[in-house]
Amino acid sequence: MALYGVIGDIHGNREALIAALAALEAYGPERLLCIGDIIGYNADSNECAAILRERGVVSIVGNHDLIGIGLLGFERCSNKAMHALKRTRCSLLPGTVEYLRSLPRSVPVEDRAVLIHGGVRDVQQYMTGSHHIAENVAYLRADLPGRKICFYGHVHEQRVFEIGQGGDIRELPANGIVRLDPDREYFINAGSLDASRKPQPRFAEFALFDSSPLTVEFLRVSYDDALTEAKAVMAGYRIGRWRDRYYSLRRKLLGRS
């Protein structure tokens, strides 16, 4: 049994990552877990990957990581994501690519929890509603039997879905401390460190998972968003209006990215 810090959807945001790690230090977690999407959107993908490696963070691979190293295409990306990831592909260092290629798509945590990024079988699936959870509960039971607590990312929102013994699904408030029932199943999103696509004020979101009393505490902290944004703009990660229109027209005419 241990206390874990759960982070994810960093997207090359060094300022958010540093702020979250500093905040987590006050709680003294024994291990740090990352739910993927280390790179993309912002200018410090290499730096973020290096920090995770230096801190010994247990991480899985996200869809942006896979796209960034060429193992997935841009077909399911928004124009903003595609533009940033094309820039990211050009900036990744060989060591970062090697690190991302080494990451698994899921990681077990003790005897009851697991990390995934999107859906259980689809790294790019957005699990936003009860029908997505119902589908993935079945996949979880088939592919990862015994795992009752599934931490996922991708949707950039702190959320908790609880599956009752009769199969009923309800969403719990994702704030403060949530106590988990050992006889029930859960899909939990710790939130996103990167908030560059969210309205102001922007916060890095993350969580603490205590496997002894079975609790999840949802946390968030401010970071230097102005610096993150300035670096992203200077490095060409933000899409302009005309390029955005060009990508949309190209998708429409060619039916592909």
Side-chain angles (χ1 to χ4, degrees):
M1 304 297 182
L3 180 64
Y4 300 89
V6 186
I7 62 175
D9 290 291
I10 303 165
H11 291 296
N13 190 330
R14 182 182 181 275
E15 288 69 42
L17 176 58
I18 292 298
L21 291 177
L24 280 167
E25 284 182 4
Y27 295 90
E30 285 109 308
R31 298 299 301 271
L32 295 174
L33 311 174
C34 177
I35 307 177
D37 273 7
I38 299 163
I39 68 171
Y41 280 119
N42 297 294
D44 290 326
S45 290
N46 291 304
E47 291 80 357
C48 289
I51 289 169
L52 296 189
R53 296 178 74 178
E54 290 165 4
R55 298 289 186 98
V57 178
V58 176
S59 184
I60 61 172
V61 69
N63 64 304
H64 276 241
D65 306 318
L66 292 167
I67 295 168
I69 59 177
L71 295 183
L72 278 179
F74 299 113
E75 293 79 11
R76 293 166 69 179
C77 289
S78 68
N79 290 347
K80 291 180 180 179
M82 178 170 64
H83 176 80
L85 281 165
K86 285 183 175 182
R87 180 68 188 90
T88 301
R89 280 185 174 183
C90 296
S91 67
L92 291 181
L93 298 174
T96 304
V97 174
E98 181 182 4
Y99 167 64
L100 296 175
R101 284 183 177 274
S102 73
L103 298 178
R105 295 205 181 199
S106 66
V107 164
V109 179
E110 296 185 12
D111 61 348
R112 68 171 65 228
V114 66
L115 309 182
I116 63 171
H117 180 72
V120 174
R121 294 182 177 178
D122 181 0
V123 70
Q124 298 188 89
Q125 182 182 18
Y126 287 95
M127 292 199 290
T128 58
S130 295
H131 61 294
H132 300 125
I133 300 302
E135 175 186 45
N136 279 274
V137 168
Y139 294 154
L140 185 69
R141 293 169 181 170
D143 299 354
L144 300 161
R147 302 290 157 179
K148 290 181 172 288
I149 302 171
C150 182
F151 287 97
Y152 71 102
H154 197 48
V155 300
H156 291 211
E157 294 177 355
Q158 293 180 316
R159 306 188 75 171
V160 185
F161 291 94
E162 180 184 73
I163 300 92
Q165 292 178 330
D168 56 304
I169 298 170
R170 65 171 182 150
E171 185 169 5
L172 308 179
N175 52 56
I177 298 176
V178 177
R179 187 170 296 276
L180 310 180
D181 185 329
D183 295 323
R184 300 195 172 195
E185 295 162 297
Y186 294 89
F187 279 76
I188 301 169
N189 195 310
S192 60
L193 289 194
D194 177 48
S196 61
R197 290 167 292 162
K198 295 184 178 183
Q200 298 280 7
R202 292 171 175 168
F203 296 92
E205 300 169 336
F206 51 99
L208 281 168
F209 170 52
D210 195 331
S211 64
S212 180
L214 280 184
T215 60
V216 177
E217 182 174 2
F218 292 92
L219 303 165
R220 65 179 191 168
V221 66
S222 61
Y223 66 92
D224 193 345
D225 171 61
L227 178 56
T228 299
E229 194 65 22
K231 289 193 293 186
V233 171
M234 287 291 294
Y237 283 82
R238 296 295 178 257
I239 190 171
R241 180 176 61 178
W242 295 109
R243 185 172 292 275
D244 190 12
R245 290 184 177 181
Y246 163 73
Y247 283 151
S248 295
L249 180 61
R250 183 182 177 189
R251 288 179 190 269
K252 184 177 180 180
L253 293 177
L254 302 181
R256 59 182 175 81
S257 299

